[in-house]
Amino acid sequence: MQKPSIPKGTRDFSQLEMARRNYIFSTIREVFSLYGFAQIETPAMELMSTLMGKYGEEGDKLLFRIQNSGEKANEAPEKGLRYDLTVPFARYVVQHRDTIQFPFKRYQIQPVWRADRPQKGRYREFYQCDVDVVGTNSLLAEVELIQIVEEVYRRLGIRVCLHLNNRKVLAGIAEVIGAPDKMMDITVAIDKLDKIGVDAVNAELRERGLSAEAIEALQPILNLKGSNEDKLRDLRTILAESEIGMKGVEELEEIFTQLSNVHTAQADRSSQGRDKNCRLPIELDLCLARGLNYYTGAIFEVKALDVQMGSITGGGRYDNLTGIFGMPDVSGVGISFGADRIYDVLTELDLYPADLQSTTQVLFACFGDDELKFAMQCATALRKQGLRVEVYPETVKMKRQMAYADAKHIPYVAIIGSNELEERKVMLKQMLSGEQQLMTVDELIQQLKA
Amino acid sequence: MQKPSIPKGTRDFSQLEMARRNYIFSTIREVFSLYGFAQIETPAMELMSTLMGKYGEEGDKLLFRIQNSGEKANEAPEKGLRYDLTVPFARYVVQHRDTIQFPFKRYQIQPVWRADRPQKGRYREFYQCDVDVVGTNSLLAEVELIQIVEEVYRRLGIRVCLHLNNRKVLAGIAEVIGAPDKMMDITVAIDKLDKIGVDAVNAELRERGLSAEAIEALQPILNLKGSNEDKLRDLRTILAESEIGMKGVEELEEIFTQLSNVHTAQADRSSQGRDKNCRLPIELDLCLARGLNYYTGAIFEVKALDVQMGSITGGGRYDNLTGIFGMPDVSGVGISFGADRIYDVLTELDLYPADLQSTTQVLFACFGDDELKFAMQCATALRKQGLRVEVYPETVKMKRQMAYADAKHIPYVAIIGSNELEERKVMLKQMLSGEQQLMTVDELIQQLKA
């Protein structure tokens, strides 16, 4: 009989992989909760009418469709698997608009499915981790999301840089180079600047119908240099004639001002001045465009500094996401943490806490059935104290019991033979050093709690 | 435009519902981890070859099948959605047998999908929460699972009774009433005793081909009365001639003996003798059969005492679950917590902790933009202390900001107007009492941490 397997592009997650993923998710959740974001969940299946036409032609083709056995094979399935968390969230907001408190601060950590060709690092089932505020135009929402990025990566120990841009600035650029209707074309093309280089981007812009003059006019903008302040100053000159462009510049300035306001406060309160050093570096990056066409204001992407990995977090402001479901004029801003990539970064940089390997603190290993009964009593007492305990359930050879503890990285084994049983004690072996010590259950509890 | 909706039988989970579900799951997870169980996850999709034929003809019809857009509509889909966690778990054990440590103690909390007709309390997407030990025959595994049930419901505050039976006892009964080949028919019929009564069960047994003599011989067994000890004593007489029946009785006795061993230890160590009272009542219930045909030893079901709800947890021992995937002779035992029903029991008995309603501890509400800047500084300082804080991001009317805090059950609002800003203080309003007090940020931190 052939070994069973799973569909291509999907994964099983072992105990260690789950411990690592749970570490990432719980770190992120804890930070979200400091900012008052609350979790929601939506069904894995959405109606096809909810999903279709939201992800472009390409996206429509990547939807997994679901068939009941009741449905005829040649009927079009009416349900599909969630492709991302954004569209279900927009659907949720509109459907539950009467019971939601606005501004609505929610996060959502759930798998999504895409019928993409599987390849290294790209899966057909993967988790997304989205956090959004909808129902306010306030740029303080952007500021809090940036603070969240800073705190999540500080806690995970990953050094990152946040790239910041604004769609209104991009629209302004299109305006001032004389191609106002080509904003999306310019956006999509320069989004690739990092990947394909300036010449290929220019070629693509020509293909997309930009005039030579427009492309020429764009070059100094692509090459803006210096500090964020320098770039903003230059932009104010370049975009002076564009109302929307100037609005974008003002939004960027406001975000920087508000960030400096909270950072100053932190520095004030930190006697060691330590906070200054772990402050998130932010780069105003005019080449950052993000392909998704619902963004209308700030856009962000986060990249790890110490490993080549592309964007590990990204998002932006959208002014009309819920419009597709008939609820216009609800502005929101959100970011998405890429759990799979964060997982890979932590693995590559070896940044997981050491104690994720085993959750069990002590294994009881016994020579006989009476010893096993005593072990069950001890284990019960230890668990009452909140200690994580296993009892090897059979009296097999001690070597095999030790191998079990070893393979599971359990740090202590409490051995019980006839002598220990008689004294109502255990021989505690520290697996790393091999040291052994005879002790009572109460002493064992004290040692493990210390 | 019509309000968007979701497929029938599926649900959105709001902030409050998620907080309640997370409370249930985290309680269960904490208890699992005390016993050394570790989490795994499997993909939502399994190959149809993994799923088909595992749930009977009825079950096969309830599988949701998944189509890529690449597949032709008249091709049979090769993938389906997970129908339960048991078959994927068996598949996982066989597929990863070379890297798993046995006995393998795992738990899994994930949604499953069934194309059942939706009705009250029955959904097409719902979570299962399974905990299993495979690779040991030791009855201590049963004992630990029963301890887990006891501890989970103690922590949740739900009074329950555990019904215990053994498939070998049921086989022995079939043997001694002269219908050894009818064990499953008897099992399926008497499983309904509670629901349809003894007359209907007898009628069904006749239909299933049991002789009048066999049915007659069965009656005293269905009517066994008294304590667990009484029933076991009577069974020892009734089943004396059946080897498998006596094996089942011995297994039951061993479980009771081992449970009394750990309970005695608890009582010994508890100075108030309190533990005795919150001990899980266990009833040896010969009418408990459980329909699933892979069980071979102990079977359990848990019912809430204070509400009519059917079984809220159930499981049993299986000797050959992985055999369907070509790995015979791996015995295991597991139970499944019914998250939806536990949710309903806690709701009906109003047993949720009061502080699940809001996770945010304080909302900053401001009169002007300068106040808002100060609020952002205060919020940053509070979050550094681990406090959960929101800043209302706009300077709308104070009434609306208060209404937001009220609707979200946020217990404190820190109001900042021009006077407070000048003094670098906040006016802290306790929402329940309406009391207000002027204080510094440090005093606010102290108050919220207390």
Side-chain angles (χ1 to χ4, degrees), chain A residues 162-211:
Chain A
L162 184 136
H163 296 248
L164 179 66
N165 198 3
N166 190 298
R167 272 293 171 90
K168 296 190 180 76
V169 168
L170 293 174
I173 290 171
E175 227 174 71
V176 298
I177 67 169
D181 56 325
K182 297 285 185 194
M183 201 271 272
M184 277 314 293
D185 292 291
I186 298 171
T187 296
V188 170
I190 68 179
D191 197 18
K192 301 177 186 165
L193 194 66
D194 263 6
K195 277 186 207 152
I196 62 177
V198 68
D199 291 342
V201 164
N202 287 339
E204 185 168 336
L205 289 170
R206 263 191 303 278
E207 269 172 47
R208 287 171 180 270
L210 259 81
S211 68

Side-chain angles (χ1 to χ4, degrees), chain A residues 265-294:
Chain A
Q266 270 174 258
D268 278 357
R269 298 184 65 88
S270 162
S271 49
Q272 302 95 354
R274 201 169 45 87
D275 278 318
K276 202 176 168 182
N277 297 320
C278 67
R279 192 178 299 170
L280 176 70
I282 301 181
E283 189 191 326
L284 173 54
D285 179 357
L286 290 170
C287 300
L288 170 66
R290 290 186 73 75
L292 297 166
N293 59 14
Y294 49 73

Side-chain angles (χ1 to χ4, degrees), chain B residues 99-268:
Chain B
T99 53
I100 287 174
Q101 292 308 313
F102 294 97
F104 181 42
K105 303 174 86 169
R106 88 84 174 79
Y107 72 90
Q108 196 168 346
I109 302 178
Q110 291 191 274
V112 302
W113 295 271
R114 297 182 183 178
D116 251 324
R117 183 184 302 275
Q119 58 185 61
K120 190 179 177 312
R122 192 199 282 166
Y123 304 100
R124 293 186 146 192
E125 172 180 69
F126 57 98
Y127 270 77
Q128 288 193 337
C129 176
D130 281 20
V131 57
D132 292 78
V133 194
V134 296
T136 179
N137 296 307
S138 169
L139 297 174
L140 294 180
E142 275 85 339
V143 171
E144 286 198 347
L145 290 179
I146 292 170
Q147 288 186 288
I148 284 174
V149 166
E150 179 167 86
E151 183 64 12
V152 164
Y153 288 110
R154 192 188 68 74
R155 291 184 180 205
L156 293 175
I158 301 176
R159 299 197 316 128
V160 295
C161 177
L162 184 137
H163 297 249
L164 179 65
N165 199 3
N166 190 299
R167 272 292 172 88
K168 296 189 180 77
V169 167
L170 293 173
I173 289 171
E175 226 174 72
V176 300
I177 67 170
D181 57 326
K182 297 284 187 198
M183 202 271 271
M184 278 312 295
D185 292 293
I186 297 171
T187 295
V188 171
I190 67 180
D191 196 20
K192 303 178 186 166
L193 195 67
D194 263 7
K195 277 186 207 154
I196 63 177
V198 69
D199 291 341
V201 165
N202 287 338
E204 185 167 336
L205 288 170
R206 264 191 302 278
E207 269 172 46
R208 287 171 179 270
L210 258 82
S211 69
E213 293 75 29
I215 294 173
E216 185 64 30
L218 187 65
Q219 299 309 304
I221 297 168
L222 295 184
N223 289 316
L224 274 188
K225 295 245 174 328
S227 67
N228 295 333
E229 289 75 11
D230 293 341
K231 289 180 190 167
L232 282 170
R233 193 195 51 231
D234 292 346
L235 277 176
R236 251 172 275 143
T237 314
I238 295 169
L239 298 176
E241 300 302 310
S242 163
E243 194 183 329
I244 190 166
M246 289 306 283
K247 183 77 172 52
V249 172
E250 278 158 28
E251 287 182 6
L252 285 168
E253 286 173 339
E254 174 70 6
I255 289 172
F256 280 114
T257 303
Q258 291 287 356
L259 275 172
S260 128
N261 172 53
V262 292
H263 279 148
T264 309
Q266 271 175 258
D268 277 357

Side-chain angles (χ1 to χ4, degrees), chain B residues 20 65 68 70 110 162 170 200 216 241 352 354 385 400 406 428 438 441:
Chain B
R20 289 176 168 182
R65 290 170 294 175
N68 302 6
Q110 291 191 274
L162 184 137
L170 293 173
E216 185 64 30
E241 300 302 310
Y352 289 105
Q385 300 295 318
R400 205 168 123 202
D406 211 40
L428 188 69
L438 192 69
V441 178

